[in-house]
Amino acid sequence: MAACGLDFGTSNTALALVQGGASRPLVLDPGHSPPENIPTLLFFSEDHRQFYGSQAVDEYLERAMAGRFVQSIKRHLPSRAFTHTFVNGRAMDLSDLIAGFLEHLRLVAEAEAGEPVTRALMGRPAVFHEDASRDKLAQDRLEQAARMAGFEDVLFRYEPIAAARSFESELDREVLCLVGDLGGGTSDFTVMRLGPDRVGRPDRGQDVLGADGVNVAGNDFDAVLVKKKVLPRLGFHATWRPLGRPVPVPTRLHMAMTSWHALSFVNTAENLAELEGWIRSADDAVGLKRLHEILDWNLGFELFRAVEACKVELSKHDEGVLSFRAGKLAIEEPVFRHEFESAAKPLTDKLGACMDGLLTRLELERSDIGAVFLTGGTSLVPCVRRLFEERFPGRLLAKDVFTSVGHGLGVEVAEVWG
């Protein structure tokens, strides 16, 4: 039987198939770039069909956004508050939702392999959550989902370690490497010894000096733009008069706009009815009506794409535009890189503190690090990249930031299961 390395990510997922001791990445989503990544997106249509990745987006839009669209689901894993949700009248817990997505990947792998794929080496962040019990809950849920999806043997590896293994064989000398895995949901840092002579050793535990992580990543940088440029247009500071006196409108629905993993679960009839009650006596009824339209018409994903596009534009240019149009709703807000970076400074400070704290605990100086390898799309954000360039000048390795974890897991699968 074949095995696979499976990098289940907040934003994108990758899979490496291993047969006969050889690992190769699979094309999971021809409509995505790169096609070896599939966006971690789920769509449940009203006629009880399920779609994943780019097809989920296409079907969601083609069906006029009727159904349940789910994104960034990995961020729910450590949450005790998420017990279940209803999809087409069926109660589904988190493992149920994720299992369908993983089963889809297993079937893609089996079609390519021509034989069952029942073994999976799965990546996991160094820290799902700072609370150890919630960290364990996250891994247990992910393992349960993998087994429900048909994987009989399931093992886990830290994602940054897998990322390092993806390029280790290319090194011509031994180095002490800092690996930063900065994805959509978490950011992890690992310090480990790498070198061509260490490739293939059965036990690499002694090579890992230490690891740490923090719940700051790409989705949080998106939230910066939402808070600064979107929420003020949605009645965020509005008041209403439940008893004749103005009181602030509750902000929980607004804050859901900053958490893409939560947004798809708040457009309930109860929430919409409550929002309509606020609108009737609000001083910013126009803004709250915009919020109502986004929730009622399931426009969260379209808004997410506009925010993401603006963030990408700011990674390439000094200014950009957050442009979102849907129905009667239009948001056109200029954004300058310097104002975005200023608003994001608390996030970059947390990333820097986590990285510096790891080196301090390991009694290492920055000069001890011989190479730095970054993976994950958030590593392309200029203010994030500067954290590493300033600390480790000239030592950043130029590698693929999107597929390295999946490739590295495939390397380890070949060693674990042959």
Side-chain angles (χ1 to χ4, degrees):
M1 284 181 281
C4 69
L6 183 50
D7 175 25
F8 175 69
T10 301
S11 302
N12 294 284
T13 294
L15 183 147
L17 178 66
V18 179
Q19 287 181 292
S23 170
R24 67 183 190 278
L26 293 190
V27 170
L28 301 178
D29 193 335
H32 182 63
S33 180
E36 293 81 11
N37 278 3
I38 179 172
T40 311
L41 302 172
L42 298 74
F43 175 59
F44 301 85
S45 66
E46 292 181 319
D47 58 354
H48 302 278
R49 299 179 65 191
Q50 299 179 27
F51 304 93
Y52 307 104
S54 295
Q55 190 178 14
V57 178
D58 294 341
E59 292 289 336
Y60 174 64
L61 298 177
E62 185 174 324
R63 294 167 186 256
M65 295 165 284
R68 175 62 69 85
F69 189 86
V70 180
Q71 60 194 46
S72 299
I73 195 170
K74 185 178 179 180
R75 296 205 79 168
H76 286 292
L77 283 170
S79 171
R80 293 194 184 96
F82 193 111
T83 56
H84 67 277
T85 188
F86 285 93
V87 177
N88 292 327
R90 174 193 169 197
M92 301 181 71
D93 64 21
L94 201 58
S95 294
D96 289 326
L97 293 169
I98 296 173
F101 182 77
L102 298 183
E103 182 181 30
H104 169 72
L105 300 183
R106 180 179 62 80
L107 294 176
V108 170
E110 289 185 347
E112 178 70 22
E115 61 176 322
V117 180
T118 59
R119 294 171 169 174
L121 184 67
M122 299 192 69
R124 57 147 292 165
V127 177
F128 270 117
H129 196 277
E130 289 82 358
D131 182 326
S133 64
R134 293 177 66 177
D135 188 271
K136 182 178 184 301
L137 172 66
Q139 180 169 311
D140 288 346
R141 280 173 159 173
L142 189 52
E143 180 175 354
Q144 180 183 11
R147 295 190 183 282
M148 291 169 63
F151 292 108
E152 298 171 5
D153 296 324
V154 181
L155 299 175
F156 287 90
R157 289 291 187 273
Y158 287 136
E159 291 160 354
I161 295 175
R165 295 299 311 280
S166 71
F167 69 88
E168 183 178 32
S169 61
E170 301 174 18
L171 297 174
D172 58 5
R173 59 187 174 86
E174 184 171 302
V175 296
L176 197 59
C177 183
L178 172 69
V179 183
D181 183 1
L182 303 104
T186 59
S187 292
D188 300 321
F189 303 100
T190 300
V191 177
M192 64 184 299
R193 295 185 182 90
L194 300 175
D197 295 337
R198 295 178 180 272
V199 175
R201 291 185 182 181
D203 182 10
R204 300 297 302 272
Q206 297 301 315
D207 293 342
V208 179
L209 277 65
D212 203 354
V214 62
N215 285 310
V216 171
N219 288 357
D220 301 289
F221 286 88
D222 294 338
V224 167
L225 288 172
V226 174
K227 291 176 182 177
K228 193 165 186 66
K229 295 296 182 179
V230 177
L231 293 191
R233 302 287 302 277
L234 305 181
F236 184 51
H237 298 295
T239 62
W240 69 306
R241 294 174 173 267
L243 298 173
R245 294 183 178 180
V247 297
V249 165
T251 60
R252 57 186 178 81
L253 296 183
H254 289 94
M255 296 315 295
M257 302 294 297
T258 70
S259 303
W260 306 119
H261 63 290
L263 187 56
S264 54
F265 299 101
V266 298
N267 62 334
T268 63
E270 294 79 7
N271 284 336
L272 291 173
E274 188 173 14
L275 180 52
E276 289 162 5
W278 301 339
I279 289 171
R280 282 193 286 270
S281 62
D283 61 351
D284 187 5
V286 172
L288 292 177
K289 285 179 180 178
R290 293 190 187 109
L291 175 62
H292 188 283
E293 186 173 351
I294 289 174
L295 295 179
D296 190 28
W297 290 94
N298 290 322
L299 299 176
F301 178 69
E302 290 295 282
L303 177 61
F304 162 77
R305 291 212 293 190
V307 170
E308 179 73 14
C310 180
K311 186 178 70 173
V312 171
E313 190 175 0
L314 290 174
S315 294
K316 301 175 181 177
H317 308 288
D318 290 335
E319 61 180 292
V321 177
L322 200 164
S323 179
F324 173 67
R325 294 180 179 274
K328 298 179 181 178
L329 183 61
I331 297 176
E332 200 81 12
E333 289 284 341
V335 187
F336 293 92
R337 182 190 287 181
H338 68 83
E339 65 174 327
F340 168 65
E341 293 186 347
S342 177
K345 189 175 185 302
L347 301 179
T348 53
D349 286 347
K350 287 182 181 179
L351 293 175
C354 182
M355 179 173 24
D356 294 340
L358 175 60
L359 294 182
T360 299
R361 286 194 299 277
L362 297 177
E363 299 182 346
L364 293 174
E365 301 292 335
R366 295 175 182 175
S367 58
D368 294 326
I369 301 298
V372 177
F373 174 61
L374 303 180
T375 183
T378 306
S379 66
L380 300 177
V381 176
C383 59
V384 173
R385 200 162 190 84
R386 279 202 303 274
L387 291 174
F388 299 89
E389 293 172 341
E390 292 171 355
R391 286 167 170 79
F392 312 102
R395 282 169 278 174
L396 269 67
L397 302 176
K399 300 292 178 183
D400 186 346
V401 301
F402 293 108
T403 61
S404 57
V405 174
H407 178 251
L409 288 170
V411 170
E412 294 215 18
V413 167
E415 296 174 0
V416 174
W417 286 309

